[in-house]
Amino acid sequence: MGDSSQYAATIEGIREAAVRIEQHAHHTPVMTCSAADAAAGRQLFFKCETFQRTGAFKFRGACNSVQQLSDEQAAKGVATHSSGNHGQALALAAQLRGIPAYVVVPRDTPQCKFDAIAGYGAEVIKCEPSMEAREAGVAEVIQRTGATLVPPYNYGPVIEGQGTLALELFDQVADLDAVIVPVSGGGMIGGVATVAKSLGRPVVVIAAEPTGWNNAADVAQSFAARKLKAVPKPDTIADGLRGRMGDLTWPIVRDKVDGVITVSEKEIVAAMRLCFERMKLVVEPSGAVGLAAALSRQLGEHPALEGCRRVGVVLCGGNVDLGDALWRQWLP
C-alpha cells in the first residue's frame, strides 16, 4: 500500500483535523433501517452527513482548511468553485472565522444551494456548467482579491477534514466489515479510505459512482485501467458528483479503495425514495448514491464483499431542491 508519506492525507493529519474542527462540526448520527437491510441482504449502518452543518459532509474539509490559515492569509479571504455543497461549507467556515468568501457556482446548481451560499455571507459568482469555466472563474477571483484557494476535493486539508467522518463512524459502529462512499473528486473517499486502512484489521472500501445518462463514470474507468483517465463530465442528477479526481486524490483511491460500484439514474431515484419513505430522511441524489450501490446487483456479486455482513454507508448530503410543487399539493 506504500508509505503514508506519499499521500496527501495521513491518519495523523485526520486526527489533528478532528481536534481542529471539534468545536464547529457536528458529530452526525448513525441510523439503521430494516427495510434497507432486507433489500440489501446485509446489515447497513448509515452515517448521516445530511445532519452536518450546511447539510453535507463538505463542512468538515472546509472548516479544517479555514482553521489552518494564518491570520495574514485569512484576512484576504478564501475562494473556491463548487456545485453547491462545498461552496456552502466554505462560506459558513469563513463566516465563523469572520473572513470573506468567494464562491464560483455553475448556473445549473439547484436554487436552494445558491441561496444557502449567499445566506452564509459569501460573494457568489455564477459560471457556465463546466470544469473549465469553474476553474477560470475562481482564478479571476483570486487574482482580484488575493484570496486563498480551497479546492473542493484535491487538497490535503480538505481530504483530512472529510476523513473525520470515518473516525466517528468506526467509533460509533463496532466491527464494520466494509464501507460504501459516494465518489467523484475523491476527497471524501480519500479521507475515509485512509482511516479504514489504518485500523489494523481488514475493512473493505467501496466507491459508489453514478454513470450518468452518458455512461461517464471516470473513477470506475480509471480504477479498471489503474491509471487516471480523462472522461467527459457525467450527465447525472447527482449534481454533487460531477467532479473529477485529481493528482492528490487519485493515488489514494488507486491504492486504498477495493472496488467501484456504478449506479444508474433510476437506481439513484429508487434509493432516494427508500430514504424518504422508509427511513424518513431527506437526501439529495448525490447523498443517495451509496445506498443505491448497497442495493445493486453489482455489490452482491463483487468478490471483495464476500462475507461482509456489516456495512457502513455514507449518506453524504441532503440539500435537495423540492421546489413549490410538493408543498402546493397539500393546499386546496
Side-chain angles (χ1 to χ4, degrees):
M1 194 171 295
D3 183 355
S4 63
S5 63
Q6 73 187 64
Y7 301 111
T10 66
I11 185 61
E12 294 79 14
I14 293 170
R15 289 178 178 137
E16 290 169 4
V19 174
R20 194 175 289 118
I21 70 174
E22 174 71 27
Q23 63 180 320
H24 302 294
H26 296 323
H27 281 242
T28 55
V30 172
M31 297 187 179
T32 59
C33 174
S34 58
D37 290 352
R42 292 179 169 87
Q43 191 171 10
L44 304 179
F45 298 86
F46 296 95
K47 180 61 170 167
C48 297
E49 287 294 291
T50 52
F51 294 113
Q52 187 52 264
R53 297 185 76 165
T54 72
F57 76 98
K58 292 283 191 176
F59 180 73
R60 297 174 182 272
C63 185
N64 188 46
S65 300
V66 168
Q67 291 300 318
Q68 287 193 45
L69 295 176
S70 68
D71 290 343
E72 183 180 358
Q73 290 173 314
K76 297 179 180 179
V78 287
T80 196
H81 60 83
S82 168
S83 60
N85 285 342
H86 177 65
Q88 292 180 59
L90 190 64
L92 176 57
Q95 183 185 73
L96 291 171
R97 189 160 177 184
I99 65 175
Y102 309 91
V103 184
V104 177
V105 185
R107 296 183 186 278
D108 61 352
T109 295
Q111 186 61 43
C112 66
K113 295 184 180 182
F114 277 116
D115 295 343
I117 294 168
Y120 290 124
E123 179 181 326
V124 178
I125 302 96
K126 293 185 179 182
C127 72
E128 295 305 311
S130 71
M131 189 56 65
E132 293 77 14
R134 288 165 57 154
E135 291 175 348
V138 80
E140 187 280 326
V141 167
I142 291 170
Q143 184 177 29
R144 170 168 59 89
T145 64
T148 296
L149 174 65
V150 180
Y153 38 82
N154 198 46
Y155 186 50
V158 165
I159 301 169
E160 291 180 336
Q162 318 306 23
T164 61
L165 77 87
L167 289 181
E168 293 177 17
L169 174 60
F170 289 114
D171 183 60
Q172 290 166 309
V173 185
D175 301 325
L176 281 178
D177 299 314
V179 61
I180 303 172
V181 187
V183 68
S184 62
M188 175 168 53
I189 200 169
V192 172
T194 298
V195 174
K197 300 306 181 181
S198 74
L199 296 175
R201 61 179 179 83
V203 177
V204 175
V205 180
I206 297 293
E209 182 181 27
T211 59
W213 297 111
N214 56 339
N215 193 29
D218 77 309
V219 179
Q221 294 184 38
S222 297
F223 194 81
R226 306 306 295 168
K227 64 178 181 180
L228 191 57
K229 298 191 69 173
V231 178
K233 182 184 76 170
D235 178 14
T236 176
I237 58 173
D239 62 285
L241 298 179
R242 293 175 182 164
R244 284 291 174 257
M245 288 184 295
D247 61 329
L248 301 182
T249 55
W250 164 240
I252 306 175
V253 172
R254 178 193 63 208
D255 297 346
K256 300 190 180 189
V257 171
D258 298 292
V260 182
I261 300 296
T262 58
V263 296
S264 68
E265 306 295 281
K266 184 177 180 180
E267 288 173 315
I268 294 170
V269 172
M272 287 182 69
R273 184 170 184 174
L274 191 153
C275 285
F276 275 69
E277 294 183 350
R278 303 304 295 271
M279 299 175 67
K280 314 307 178 188
L281 293 174
V282 175
V283 295
E284 62 187 272
S286 302
V289 165
L291 175 56
L295 300 177
S296 75
R297 180 176 296 180
Q298 283 184 63
L299 192 81
E301 298 172 349
H302 200 290
L305 273 296
E306 185 175 353
C308 292
R309 307 305 305 167
R310 294 166 60 82
V311 178
V313 178
V314 180
L315 300 180
C316 60
N319 293 314
V320 61
D321 191 347
L322 298 174
D324 294 329
L326 174 68
W327 312 115
R328 284 200 300 266
Q329 72 173 317
W330 306 110
L331 298 174

